[in-house]
């Protein structure tokens, strides 16, 4: 029943205003994700900008992503000004914002993706569920890096890749089905008429007649004199 409900809404049959509305939302979410990647690179010191008024702006990369992620949350003794670390208040505020904002984002992206039909069912389930799993792993990795071990930065990197993979499908597939996909208009296969099923009452009557005939006493054989006279 649930699958039938989802199949009733076909993205390519939506009116044009609805298509434009969903398309603009997908584009904005895609741009937002790209800005999130840039924000990660700048906030964690992966990409640094040097600017002095009247001079040229210069950019430099500040080390590997793994090392800078660890320094961002645990701080750095060598460069405390650039990497002061995060205290409990900052960790709580960041986790609160990420859970709510990213949860709503993933939920909204999943709505049009629910009605797609071009992907296998198992892949749709994987993308819908794992996009939320990626958010949970990302937020938990903040705390794991800070209070468990710096090696937990690998979890954060993994969650970012997983979320990017899921968002790629949640943006690209609905866009494709709204504007490029067309349902096959092949003629319906010929349906052969099946023989009418035998009614249960007729079967019961036939069985009852056969049983009655088998239970009836056999007729006595004719005497020998009658046979000779005949």
């Amino acid at each position: 029943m649930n699958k039938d409900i989802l199949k009733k809404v076909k993205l390519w049959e939506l009116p044009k205003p609805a298509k434009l509305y969903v398309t603009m939302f997908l584009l904005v979410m895609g741009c937002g994700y790209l800005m999130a990647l840039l924000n990660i690179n700048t906030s964690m010191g992966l990409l640094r900008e040097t600017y002095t008024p009247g001079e040229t702006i210069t950019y430099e990369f500040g080390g590997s992503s793994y090392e800078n992620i660890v320094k961002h949350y645990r701080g750095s003794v060598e460069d405390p000004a650039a990497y002061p670390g995060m205290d409990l208040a900052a960790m709580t505020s960041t986790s609160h914002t990420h859970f709510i904002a990213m949860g709503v984002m993933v939920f909204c992206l999943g709505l049009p993706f629910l009605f797609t039909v071009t992907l296998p069912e198992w892949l749709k389930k994987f993308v819908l569920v794992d996009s939320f799993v990626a958010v949970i792993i990302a937020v938990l990795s903040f705390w794991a890096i800070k209070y468990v071990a710096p090696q937990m930065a690998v979890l954060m990197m993994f969650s970012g890749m997983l979320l990017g993979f899921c968002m790629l499908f949640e943006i690209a597939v609905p866009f494709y089905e709204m504007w490029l996909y067309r349902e096959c208009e092949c003629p319906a296969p010929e349906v052969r008429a099946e023989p009418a099923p035998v009614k249960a009452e007729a079967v019961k009557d036939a069985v009852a007649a056969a049983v009655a005939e088998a239970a009836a006493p056999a007729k006595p054989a004719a005497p020998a004199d009658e046979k000779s006279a005949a």
Side-chain angles (χ1 to χ4, degrees):
M1 179 63 69
N2 294 335
K3 293 182 179 180
D4 295 337
I5 293 175
L6 294 178
K7 289 180 180 179
K8 289 181 180 179
V9 178
K10 299 179 180 180
L11 295 179
W12 60 90
E13 292 182 352
L14 291 176
K16 195 168 185 179
K19 287 185 179 181
L20 292 173
Y21 181 81
V22 176
T23 300
M24 294 309 299
F25 169 74
L26 296 177
L27 290 176
V28 170
M29 288 295 101
C31 293
Y33 182 74
L34 295 178
M35 289 296 103
L37 295 178
L38 181 60
N39 177 60
I40 291 174
N41 283 274
T42 54
S43 63
M44 295 189 180
L46 300 176
L47 179 63
R48 298 182 180 181
E49 178 185 87
T50 303
Y51 172 69
T52 304
E55 297 183 3
T56 306
I57 302 175
T58 59
Y59 298 93
E60 62 177 350
F61 289 93
S64 68
S65 57
Y66 174 83
E67 294 175 352
N68 286 12
I69 290 173
V70 174
K71 292 178 182 178
H72 179 75
Y73 291 99
R74 298 176 71 97
S76 174
V77 178
E78 294 81 7
D79 193 1
Y83 301 100
M86 297 183 68
D87 56 10
L88 181 60
M91 294 283 291
T92 305
S93 176
T94 303
S95 301
H96 159 76
T97 304
H98 276 70
F99 265 134
I100 295 179
M102 296 179 70
V104 172
M105 177 193 70
V106 169
F107 175 80
C108 293
L109 280 175
L111 287 178
F113 185 76
L114 272 174
F115 301 101
T116 57
V117 297
T118 53
L119 292 181
E121 194 68 21
W122 67 267
L123 184 55
K124 281 184 64 176
K125 294 177 181 178
F126 177 85
V127 171
L128 289 169
V129 174
D130 280 35
S131 54
F132 288 97
V133 173
V135 174
I136 296 173
I137 295 176
V139 177
L140 293 182
S141 65
F142 301 165
W143 298 85
I145 295 169
K146 174 72 175 180
Y147 297 107
V148 179
Q151 291 80 6
M152 294 298 170
V154 176
L155 282 179
M156 186 175 181
M157 299 170 69
F158 169 75
S159 67
M161 291 186 290
L162 181 60
L163 182 60
F165 173 82
C166 294
M167 288 188 64
L168 175 63
F169 278 93
E170 290 174 336
I171 293 174
V173 177
F175 182 87
Y176 165 74
E177 291 195 9
M178 282 189 297
W179 299 104
L180 302 176
Y181 176 76
R182 291 294 178 271
E183 190 175 24
C184 179
E185 298 180 355
C186 305
E190 183 180 354
V191 180
R192 296 182 179 180
E194 298 181 358
V198 181
K199 294 184 178 180
E201 295 179 358
V203 174
K204 289 181 180 179
D205 294 341
V207 172
V211 172
E213 184 178 353
K219 294 182 179 180
D225 295 340
E226 293 181 2
K227 290 182 179 179
S228 59

